[in-house]
Amino acid sequence: MVRTQVVIVGAGPAGLLLGQLLHKAGIDTLLIERRSAEYVASRIRAGVLEPGTVEVLELAGVANRLQTEGLVHEGVEIGFRGHRHRIALKELTGKSVTVYGQTEVTRDLMDARAELGAPTVYEVDDVTLHDIAGPAPRVTYRLGGVTHEVVCDFIAGCDGFHGVSRRSIPDSALSVYEKVYPFGWLGVLADVPPPWTELIYAASEQGFALASMRSPTRVRCYLQCSLDDRPEQWSDERFWTEFRRRMGDDAGARTPVAPSIEKSIAPLRSYVVEPMRFGRLFLAGDAAHIVPPTGAKGLNLAVSDVFYLYEALRGFYRESDGDLAERALDGYSPRCLRRIWRAERFSWWMTRQLHRFPGDAFDSRLQQTELEYLFESRAAQAGLAENYVGLPL
Ligand code: FAD
Ligand code: PHB
């Protein structure tokens, strides 16, 4: 039997970042992950970092490459029926966002953990959480056919939406809020220089399209698609033809038919579980909430949860008085949820305004009216900008 202070379940960005922050505070962690290190390092996901996220990555000491390679964007564009309107993020809020792939954030965190010599066990099976309501929780897992047991003070459930942590909490202790959208996003990664300088979120008659990027030589683009679609049904030719049609302007038209290096479909969902703590188990990141990607908030929320959890655990270990130490933990869930619900609202709003929904003509006219208002009103643009760059931590 092994002992550590905090067992972290899941080595995605949330788990790795928590491990890094705790280690720097002198708190021991064991990180266990279901997949291989190569699999985790190659998953293509988010791309936009809020300034608050960059600050936390700086605090964790993993922002060197981000500062040299990240692309600072002072605006985003919203496209509607062939017109594009720039939302001047920097001018409206004083803040910019940084385009830097989640893949790169993950790689930086993995390198930093390896440098610290902190333990990560990959490719574990049958992860089970025990005695989470009491003061000495345990985690068991299987590795290469052998069962291992770890006793700890706390468990951090950073194992994403499909992980074991949230499912280990009795249903009666949780409230779940959920909305599933009737479409998905088909994403393509391709090695061509982006013909656009800032991200373009485009609403069109055929549905939503997003023009994003990863670097000066790599684009990342998305199309709203049917939940029944499979990536194999979308040849590169078909993807780019549809993309140009939805963009409906020169930036879209200039996109070459670039060979995709990755193509995948993600469903869209809004989901929150409350509270984010049960006894000695704390949930963070996608394990506790999902936002549709239209607001670029998922990774940013994972980072803010982790920052709050780091503060709570550091407060606990620094406090010698037992009651005060417990109080440091109590603030975690309410503090996270305040920020999460704001990001849920914004992500829902962006999704609602920019996608094509089945049916309702009334809703469709409201959507048009909302976008026209956005283009004409500086106040409406300031609201979007304030949320897009992220509310303060
Ligand atoms: P995950 O990244 O899901 O990591 C969880 C880890 O736990 C995984 O490695 C998993 O293998 C592991 N695990 C699962 N079960 C177990 C188990 N039983 N035992 C051990 N380990 C386990 N967010 C943004 O902020 N900006 C964006 O621009 C953006 N764009 C996105 C675009 C797309 C197409 C998608 C799909 C998502 C996007 N997101 C974006 C969301 C973002 O990618 C996620 O919110 C983020 O990955 C959450 O990190 P996490 O560490 O909480 O969870
Ligand atoms: C991405 O580049 O993958 C990306 C950017 C912005 C979003 C979602 C995804 O809102």
Side-chain angles (χ1 to χ4, degrees):
M1 192 174 62
V2 177
R3 218 203 114 72
T4 190
Q5 287 173 296
V6 183
V7 172
I8 303 174
V9 185
L16 284 163
L17 178 62
L18 180 66
Q20 182 70 12
L21 289 168
L22 291 180
H23 194 94
K24 285 184 79 119
I27 300 167
D28 287 337
T29 62
L30 173 70
L31 192 40
I32 55 174
E33 164 62 47
R34 190 166 56 111
R35 302 286 196 163
S36 68
E38 297 70 40
Y39 182 93
V40 171
S42 63
R43 241 175 347 210
I44 311 290
R45 282 190 172 169
V48 176
L49 308 183
E50 296 173 1
T53 295
V54 173
E55 275 172 38
V56 178
L57 295 171
E58 281 166 357
L59 174 72
V62 291
N64 283 349
R65 208 159 61 89
L66 156 63
Q67 263 134 6
T68 53
E69 293 177 24
L71 308 172
V72 175
H73 282 199
E74 297 187 354
V76 288
E77 297 203 57
I78 307 287
F80 180 55
R81 299 203 172 153
H83 296 288
R84 290 207 333 240
H85 197 99
R86 182 168 187 266
I87 309 291
L89 300 174
K90 181 74 184 283
E91 206 182 296
L92 290 162
T93 67
K95 294 178 192 166
S96 309
V97 293
T98 304
V99 172
Y100 189 70
Q102 178 170 331
T103 318
E104 307 308 318
V105 174
T106 305
R107 200 172 106 202
D108 295 342
L109 284 163
M110 286 170 98
D111 289 350
R113 189 161 178 92
E115 214 166 281
L116 292 172
T120 311
V121 188
Y122 286 97
E123 297 182 74
V124 299
D125 265 332
D126 291 341
V127 174
T128 312
L129 316 188
H130 309 268
D131 304 331
I132 54 176
R138 290 174 300 121
V139 178
T140 54
Y141 61 89
R142 280 162 64 80
L143 180 68
V146 179
T147 300
H148 298 256
E149 180 175 15
V150 193
V151 178
C152 56
D153 299 328
F154 299 102
I155 301 171
C158 301
D159 48 354
F161 187 64
H162 300 287
V164 67
S165 299
R166 190 181 65 252
R167 282 186 278 119
S168 305
I169 302 175
D171 285 349
S172 58
L174 295 178
S175 300
V176 172
Y177 303 87
E178 185 171 30
K179 185 172 199 62
V180 177
Y181 300 86
F183 42 73
W185 274 22
L186 168 67
V188 157
L189 193 67
D191 274 332
V192 278
W196 42 86
T197 50
E198 293 175 338
L199 270 61
I200 308 168
Y201 291 78
S204 81
E205 292 292 340
Q206 296 82 31
F208 171 75
L210 169 61
S212 181
M213 63 186 79
R214 284 291 179 277
S215 75
T217 57
R218 184 171 277 191
V219 296
R220 176 69 167 165
C221 298
Y222 298 93
L223 292 179
Q224 174 183 355
C225 67
S226 157
L227 284 171
D228 299 326
D229 280 359
R230 296 284 156 265
E232 312 78 74
Q233 297 167 325
W234 285 85
S235 65
D236 294 339
E237 176 79 42
R238 182 179 171 206
F239 182 90
W240 292 114
T241 304
E242 183 61 18
F243 180 78
R244 282 186 207 145
R245 199 152 74 104
R246 294 192 193 179
M247 282 287 151
D249 61 19
D250 55 342
R254 274 189 276 122
T255 326
V257 176
S260 58
I261 48 179
E262 197 261 358
K263 198 182 276 158
S264 53
I265 291 182
L268 266 65
R269 181 194 301 273
S270 298
Y271 180 98
V272 183
V273 77
E274 295 185 1
M276 290 166 61
R277 172 189 180 186
F278 181 78
R280 289 291 176 115
L281 167 64
F282 293 82
L283 303 177
D286 280 14
H289 44 78
I290 296 287
V291 282
T294 331
K297 290 285 165 255
L299 174 60
N300 291 297
L301 279 182
V303 169
S304 54
D305 289 356
V306 161
F307 176 70
Y308 295 148
L309 184 52
Y310 152 72
E311 288 205 323
L313 293 173
R314 194 180 53 154
F316 176 90
Y317 283 115
R318 279 190 177 172
E319 190 51 71
S320 49
D321 178 289
D323 285 344
L324 289 178
E326 286 297 330
R327 213 172 293 162
L329 305 175
D330 289 341
Y332 172 69
S333 176
R335 220 179 155 196
C336 290
L337 285 164
R338 221 176 2 255
R339 201 165 192 283
I340 289 160
W341 274 110
R342 292 185 184 183
E344 289 286 349
R345 185 202 68 82
F346 177 64
S347 305
W348 164 83
W349 183 84
M350 286 284 280
T351 304
R352 181 74 240 172
Q353 300 325 321
L354 296 171
H355 290 74
R356 200 181 151 81
F357 282 74
D360 203 323
F362 184 82
D363 285 355
S364 157
R365 290 289 282 119
L366 282 184
Q367 191 183 28
Q368 179 188 340
T369 306
E370 187 92 26
L371 287 173
E372 285 167 358
Y373 170 63
L374 174 69
F375 293 171
E376 284 160 21
S377 160
R378 192 176 160 88
Q381 289 164 29
L384 190 158
E386 187 182 22
N387 283 278
Y388 194 80
V389 300
L391 300 167
L393 270 174

